[in-house]
Short mmCIF file of all heavy atoms in Angstrom, two decimals:
data_model
loop_
_atom_site.label_atom_id
_atom_site.label_comp_id
_atom_site.label_asym_id
_atom_site.label_seq_id
_atom_site.Cartn_x
_atom_site.Cartn_y
_atom_site.Cartn_z
N ASN W 9 0.80 -1.21 0.00
CA ASN W 9 0.00 0.00 0.00
C ASN W 9 0.84 1.27 0.00
O ASN W 9 0.30 2.37 -0.02
CB ASN W 9 -0.92 0.02 1.24
CG ASN W 9 -1.82 -1.20 1.29
OD1 ASN W 9 -2.34 -1.60 0.26
ND2 ASN W 9 -1.98 -1.77 2.47
N ALA W 10 2.17 1.11 0.02
CA ALA W 10 3.02 2.28 0.21
C ALA W 10 2.87 3.30 -0.91
O ALA W 10 2.94 4.50 -0.67
CB ALA W 10 4.48 1.84 0.34
N SER W 11 2.72 2.84 -2.13
CA SER W 11 2.71 3.78 -3.25
C SER W 11 1.31 4.10 -3.76
O SER W 11 1.15 4.88 -4.69
CB SER W 11 3.56 3.21 -4.40
OG SER W 11 3.03 1.99 -4.85
N GLN W 12 0.28 3.48 -3.14
CA GLN W 12 -1.08 3.75 -3.60
C GLN W 12 -1.48 5.18 -3.23
O GLN W 12 -1.15 5.67 -2.16
CB GLN W 12 -2.06 2.75 -2.98
CG GLN W 12 -1.92 1.36 -3.59
CD GLN W 12 -2.96 0.40 -3.02
OE1 GLN W 12 -3.83 0.81 -2.27
NE2 GLN W 12 -2.86 -0.86 -3.40
N ASP W 13 -2.19 5.84 -4.14
CA ASP W 13 -2.68 7.20 -3.91
C ASP W 13 -1.54 8.18 -3.64
O ASP W 13 -1.73 9.18 -2.95
CB ASP W 13 -3.68 7.23 -2.73
CG ASP W 13 -4.83 6.27 -2.95
OD1 ASP W 13 -5.29 6.15 -4.11
OD2 ASP W 13 -5.25 5.63 -1.98
N ARG W 14 -0.36 7.88 -4.13
CA ARG W 14 0.77 8.77 -3.94
C ARG W 14 1.15 9.41 -5.26
O ARG W 14 1.27 8.71 -6.28
CB ARG W 14 1.98 7.99 -3.41
CG ARG W 14 2.11 7.91 -1.91
CD ARG W 14 2.95 9.02 -1.31
NE ARG W 14 4.30 9.01 -1.83
CZ ARG W 14 5.26 8.17 -1.42
NH1 ARG W 14 5.01 7.27 -0.50
NH2 ARG W 14 6.46 8.25 -1.93
N ASN W 15 1.36 10.71 -5.24
CA ASN W 15 1.89 11.39 -6.41
C ASN W 15 3.36 10.99 -6.56
O ASN W 15 4.16 11.23 -5.64
CB ASN W 15 1.74 12.90 -6.21
CG ASN W 15 2.32 13.69 -7.37
OD1 ASN W 15 2.88 13.13 -8.32
ND2 ASN W 15 2.20 15.00 -7.30
N PRO W 16 3.75 10.37 -7.70
CA PRO W 16 5.16 9.94 -7.83
C PRO W 16 6.15 11.09 -7.76
O PRO W 16 7.34 10.87 -7.50
CB PRO W 16 5.19 9.26 -9.21
CG PRO W 16 3.96 9.70 -9.91
CD PRO W 16 2.94 10.01 -8.86
N GLU W 17 5.70 12.31 -7.97
CA GLU W 17 6.59 13.47 -7.89
C GLU W 17 6.80 13.94 -6.46
O GLU W 17 7.72 14.70 -6.17
CB GLU W 17 6.00 14.64 -8.71
CG GLU W 17 5.83 14.35 -10.20
CD GLU W 17 7.15 14.41 -10.96
OE1 GLU W 17 8.11 14.98 -10.41
OE2 GLU W 17 7.21 13.87 -12.07
N GLN W 18 5.94 13.49 -5.54
CA GLN W 18 5.99 13.98 -4.17
C GLN W 18 7.27 13.50 -3.47
O GLN W 18 7.58 12.31 -3.46
CB GLN W 18 4.76 13.50 -3.39
CG GLN W 18 4.72 13.98 -1.95
CD GLN W 18 3.60 13.31 -1.17
OE1 GLN W 18 2.73 12.66 -1.77
NE2 GLN W 18 3.60 13.44 0.14
N MET W 19 7.99 14.43 -2.85
CA MET W 19 9.25 14.12 -2.20
C MET W 19 9.02 13.62 -0.77
O MET W 19 8.15 14.12 -0.05
CB MET W 19 10.15 15.35 -2.16
CG MET W 19 10.77 15.70 -3.51
SD MET W 19 12.02 14.45 -3.97
CE MET W 19 12.57 15.09 -5.56
N VAL W 20 9.82 12.64 -0.38
CA VAL W 20 9.87 12.17 1.01
C VAL W 20 11.26 12.52 1.53
O VAL W 20 12.26 12.22 0.87
CB VAL W 20 9.63 10.65 1.10
CG1 VAL W 20 9.88 10.15 2.51
CG2 VAL W 20 8.22 10.30 0.65
N GLU W 21 11.34 13.15 2.69
CA GLU W 21 12.65 13.63 3.15
C GLU W 21 12.99 13.11 4.54
O GLU W 21 12.13 12.70 5.33
CB GLU W 21 12.70 15.16 3.13
CG GLU W 21 11.80 15.84 4.13
CD GLU W 21 11.99 17.36 4.13
OE1 GLU W 21 12.17 17.95 3.04
OE2 GLU W 21 11.93 17.94 5.22
N VAL W 22 14.27 13.16 4.80
CA VAL W 22 14.79 12.83 6.13
C VAL W 22 16.00 13.74 6.37
O VAL W 22 16.80 13.99 5.46
CB VAL W 22 15.17 11.33 6.22
CG1 VAL W 22 16.29 10.97 5.26
CG2 VAL W 22 15.55 10.93 7.64
N HIS W 23 16.11 14.27 7.60
CA HIS W 23 17.22 15.14 7.99
C HIS W 23 18.23 14.29 8.76
O HIS W 23 17.88 13.65 9.76
CB HIS W 23 16.74 16.29 8.88
CG HIS W 23 15.80 17.23 8.19
ND1 HIS W 23 16.02 18.58 8.11
CD2 HIS W 23 14.62 17.02 7.53
CE1 HIS W 23 15.02 19.17 7.45
NE2 HIS W 23 14.16 18.23 7.08
N VAL W 24 19.49 14.30 8.32
CA VAL W 24 20.52 13.48 8.97
C VAL W 24 21.76 14.33 9.27
O VAL W 24 21.92 15.43 8.72
CB VAL W 24 20.93 12.26 8.11
CG1 VAL W 24 19.74 11.34 7.89
CG2 VAL W 24 21.54 12.68 6.78
N ASP W 25 22.61 13.79 10.11
CA ASP W 25 23.89 14.41 10.42
C ASP W 25 24.81 14.23 9.20
O ASP W 25 25.09 13.10 8.80
CB ASP W 25 24.50 13.73 11.65
CG ASP W 25 25.78 14.41 12.14
OD1 ASP W 25 26.56 14.88 11.29
OD2 ASP W 25 25.99 14.44 13.37
N VAL W 26 25.26 15.32 8.63
CA VAL W 26 26.05 15.24 7.40
C VAL W 26 27.34 14.45 7.60
O VAL W 26 27.81 13.75 6.71
CB VAL W 26 26.33 16.66 6.84
CG1 VAL W 26 27.29 17.43 7.73
CG2 VAL W 26 26.87 16.59 5.41
N ARG W 27 27.91 14.51 8.81
CA ARG W 27 29.17 13.80 9.07
C ARG W 27 28.97 12.28 9.08
O ARG W 27 29.84 11.53 8.63
CB ARG W 27 29.77 14.27 10.40
CG ARG W 27 30.24 15.72 10.39
CD ARG W 27 30.38 16.28 11.78
NE ARG W 27 29.10 16.23 12.50
CZ ARG W 27 28.94 16.69 13.74
NH1 ARG W 27 29.94 17.23 14.39
NH2 ARG W 27 27.75 16.60 14.33
N LYS W 28 27.81 11.85 9.59
CA LYS W 28 27.52 10.40 9.61
C LYS W 28 27.30 9.89 8.18
O LYS W 28 27.72 8.78 7.84
CB LYS W 28 26.29 10.12 10.48
CG LYS W 28 26.58 10.33 11.96
CD LYS W 28 25.35 10.16 12.81
CE LYS W 28 25.70 10.40 14.28
NZ LYS W 28 24.50 10.38 15.15
N PHE W 29 26.64 10.69 7.37
CA PHE W 29 26.43 10.30 5.97
C PHE W 29 27.76 10.27 5.22
O PHE W 29 28.03 9.36 4.43
CB PHE W 29 25.44 11.26 5.31
CG PHE W 29 25.06 10.89 3.90
CD1 PHE W 29 24.75 9.58 3.56
CD2 PHE W 29 25.02 11.84 2.89
CE1 PHE W 29 24.40 9.22 2.27
CE2 PHE W 29 24.68 11.50 1.59
CZ PHE W 29 24.36 10.19 1.29
N LEU W 30 28.61 11.24 5.50
CA LEU W 30 29.92 11.29 4.84
C LEU W 30 30.80 10.12 5.25
O LEU W 30 31.54 9.57 4.43
CB LEU W 30 30.60 12.63 5.15
CG LEU W 30 31.81 13.00 4.30
CD1 LEU W 30 31.46 13.01 2.82
CD2 LEU W 30 32.35 14.36 4.70
N GLN W 31 30.70 9.72 6.51
CA GLN W 31 31.48 8.56 6.97
C GLN W 31 31.06 7.31 6.22
O GLN W 31 31.89 6.48 5.84
CB GLN W 31 31.28 8.37 8.48
CG GLN W 31 32.13 7.21 9.04
CD GLN W 31 31.94 7.04 10.53
OE1 GLN W 31 30.93 7.48 11.10
NE2 GLN W 31 32.88 6.39 11.19
N PHE W 32 29.75 7.16 6.00
CA PHE W 32 29.25 6.02 5.22
C PHE W 32 29.81 6.05 3.80
O PHE W 32 30.29 5.04 3.28
CB PHE W 32 27.72 6.05 5.20
CG PHE W 32 27.11 5.23 4.09
CD1 PHE W 32 27.14 3.84 4.13
CD2 PHE W 32 26.52 5.85 2.99
CE1 PHE W 32 26.59 3.09 3.10
CE2 PHE W 32 25.97 5.10 1.96
CZ PHE W 32 26.00 3.72 2.02
N LEU W 33 29.77 7.22 3.15
CA LEU W 33 30.26 7.34 1.76
C LEU W 33 31.77 7.12 1.69
O LEU W 33 32.27 6.51 0.74
CB LEU W 33 29.90 8.72 1.20
CG LEU W 33 28.41 8.99 0.98
CD1 LEU W 33 28.18 10.45 0.61
CD2 LEU W 33 27.83 8.07 -0.08
N ALA W 34 32.50 7.58 2.70
CA ALA W 34 33.96 7.44 2.71
C ALA W 34 34.37 5.97 2.84
O ALA W 34 35.46 5.58 2.42
CB ALA W 34 34.56 8.26 3.84
N GLY W 35 33.49 5.15 3.42
CA GLY W 35 33.81 3.74 3.58
C GLY W 35 33.65 2.92 2.32
O GLY W 35 34.05 1.75 2.27
N GLN W 36 33.07 3.51 1.28
CA GLN W 36 32.82 2.77 0.03
C GLN W 36 33.95 3.03 -0.96
O GLN W 36 33.94 4.00 -1.69
CB GLN W 36 31.46 3.17 -0.57
CG GLN W 36 30.31 3.16 0.41
CD GLN W 36 30.23 1.87 1.21
OE1 GLN W 36 30.29 0.78 0.67
NE2 GLN W 36 30.09 2.00 2.53
N GLN W 37 34.96 2.15 -0.93
CA GLN W 37 36.13 2.32 -1.80
C GLN W 37 35.84 1.91 -3.25
O GLN W 37 36.44 2.41 -4.18
CB GLN W 37 37.31 1.51 -1.26
CG GLN W 37 37.68 1.85 0.17
CD GLN W 37 38.07 3.29 0.36
OE1 GLN W 37 39.03 3.77 -0.24
NE2 GLN W 37 37.33 4.02 1.17
N VAL W 38 34.93 0.98 -3.41
CA VAL W 38 34.59 0.47 -4.74
C VAL W 38 33.09 0.66 -4.92
O VAL W 38 32.32 0.39 -4.00
CB VAL W 38 34.95 -1.03 -4.88
CG1 VAL W 38 34.59 -1.54 -6.26
CG2 VAL W 38 36.42 -1.26 -4.59
N ASN W 39 32.68 1.14 -6.10
CA ASN W 39 31.25 1.31 -6.31
C ASN W 39 30.56 -0.05 -6.29
O ASN W 39 30.98 -0.98 -6.98
CB ASN W 39 30.97 2.03 -7.63
CG ASN W 39 29.69 2.84 -7.57
OD1 ASN W 39 29.52 3.67 -6.68
ND2 ASN W 39 28.78 2.61 -8.49
N PRO W 40 29.52 -0.22 -5.48
CA PRO W 40 28.88 -1.53 -5.35
C PRO W 40 28.12 -1.93 -6.60
O PRO W 40 27.77 -1.10 -7.44
CB PRO W 40 27.92 -1.33 -4.16
CG PRO W 40 27.65 0.14 -4.14
CD PRO W 40 28.89 0.80 -4.64
N THR W 41 27.85 -3.24 -6.70
CA THR W 41 27.06 -3.73 -7.84
C THR W 41 25.59 -3.34 -7.68
O THR W 41 24.86 -3.23 -8.66
CB THR W 41 27.18 -5.27 -7.94
OG1 THR W 41 26.96 -5.84 -6.65
CG2 THR W 41 28.56 -5.67 -8.41
N LYS W 42 25.15 -3.14 -6.44
CA LYS W 42 23.79 -2.66 -6.18
C LYS W 42 23.83 -1.70 -5.01
O LYS W 42 24.51 -1.97 -4.00
CB LYS W 42 22.84 -3.81 -5.84
CG LYS W 42 21.39 -3.40 -5.67
CD LYS W 42 20.54 -4.51 -5.05
CE LYS W 42 20.63 -4.51 -3.54
NZ LYS W 42 19.63 -5.37 -2.87
N ALA W 43 23.14 -0.57 -5.12
CA ALA W 43 23.08 0.39 -4.01
C ALA W 43 21.69 1.02 -3.98
O ALA W 43 21.28 1.68 -4.92
CB ALA W 43 24.15 1.47 -4.19
N VAL W 44 20.98 0.77 -2.88
CA VAL W 44 19.62 1.27 -2.74
C VAL W 44 19.52 2.11 -1.47
O VAL W 44 20.11 1.76 -0.44
CB VAL W 44 18.60 0.10 -2.67
CG1 VAL W 44 17.20 0.60 -2.36
CG2 VAL W 44 18.61 -0.70 -3.97
N CYS W 45 18.78 3.20 -1.55
CA CYS W 45 18.50 4.06 -0.41
C CYS W 45 17.01 3.93 -0.09
O CYS W 45 16.15 4.15 -0.96
CB CYS W 45 18.87 5.50 -0.75
SG CYS W 45 18.31 6.72 0.44
N ASN W 46 16.70 3.57 1.15
CA ASN W 46 15.31 3.47 1.61
C ASN W 46 15.06 4.55 2.66
O ASN W 46 15.77 4.60 3.67
CB ASN W 46 15.04 2.09 2.23
CG ASN W 46 15.32 0.97 1.24
OD1 ASN W 46 14.76 0.92 0.16
ND2 ASN W 46 16.20 0.05 1.63
N ILE W 47 14.07 5.39 2.42
CA ILE W 47 13.79 6.50 3.34
C ILE W 47 12.46 6.24 4.05
O ILE W 47 11.44 5.98 3.42
CB ILE W 47 13.72 7.84 2.58
CG1 ILE W 47 15.07 8.16 1.92
CG2 ILE W 47 13.32 8.97 3.54
CD1 ILE W 47 15.04 9.41 1.05
N VAL W 48 12.51 6.31 5.39
CA VAL W 48 11.29 6.35 6.20
C VAL W 48 11.15 7.80 6.65
O VAL W 48 12.01 8.30 7.38
CB VAL W 48 11.37 5.40 7.40
CG1 VAL W 48 10.07 5.43 8.20
CG2 VAL W 48 11.69 3.98 6.95
N ARG W 49 10.10 8.44 6.24
CA ARG W 49 9.95 9.88 6.42
C ARG W 49 10.22 10.32 7.86
O ARG W 49 9.59 9.87 8.81
CB ARG W 49 8.52 10.30 6.04
CG ARG W 49 8.28 11.80 5.96
CD ARG W 49 6.81 12.12 5.89
NE ARG W 49 6.13 11.40 4.82
CZ ARG W 49 6.00 11.85 3.56
NH1 ARG W 49 6.50 13.03 3.25
NH2 ARG W 49 5.38 11.13 2.65
N ASN W 50 11.21 11.22 7.97
CA ASN W 50 11.56 11.87 9.24
C ASN W 50 11.96 10.88 10.35
O ASN W 50 11.94 11.23 11.53
CB ASN W 50 10.41 12.75 9.74
CG ASN W 50 10.12 13.89 8.77
OD1 ASN W 50 11.03 14.40 8.12
ND2 ASN W 50 8.86 14.28 8.68
N LYS W 51 12.33 9.64 9.95
CA LYS W 51 12.70 8.64 10.97
C LYS W 51 14.09 8.06 10.76
O LYS W 51 14.92 8.07 11.67
CB LYS W 51 11.66 7.51 11.02
CG LYS W 51 10.35 7.91 11.68
CD LYS W 51 9.47 6.69 11.90
CE LYS W 51 8.19 7.10 12.63
NZ LYS W 51 7.30 5.93 12.82
N ILE W 52 14.32 7.53 9.56
CA ILE W 52 15.59 6.82 9.33
C ILE W 52 15.85 6.71 7.84
O ILE W 52 14.92 6.73 7.02
CB ILE W 52 15.54 5.42 9.99
CG1 ILE W 52 16.94 4.85 10.21
CG2 ILE W 52 14.67 4.46 9.18
CD1 ILE W 52 16.96 3.65 11.14
#
């Protein structure tokens, strides 16, 4: 039911600590074969 009645253009956002996100990106030395970002609005 997650995408029902949802405008596909509508943005879902989450506010995070930029340093924690940068630490995650810095740990990726090789681009992965698959990389997915899952956002739970304003939670995680």
Side-chain angles (χ1 to χ4, degrees):
N9 302 319
S11 61
Q12 287 184 5
D13 304 322
R14 269 268 300 281
N15 178 358
E17 299 284 343
Q18 181 188 348
M19 286 290 180
V20 172
E21 67 176 39
V22 63
H23 296 235
V24 298
D25 186 323
V26 69
R27 293 161 301 182
K28 289 176 181 174
F29 185 45
L30 194 57
Q31 183 179 22
F32 161 72
L33 293 172
Q36 311 311 312
Q37 303 300 299
V38 180
N39 209 54
T41 48
K42 184 192 84 169
V44 174
C45 169
N46 302 303
I47 298 175
V48 181
R49 189 193 307 271
N50 297 327
K51 286 189 177 178
I52 200 166

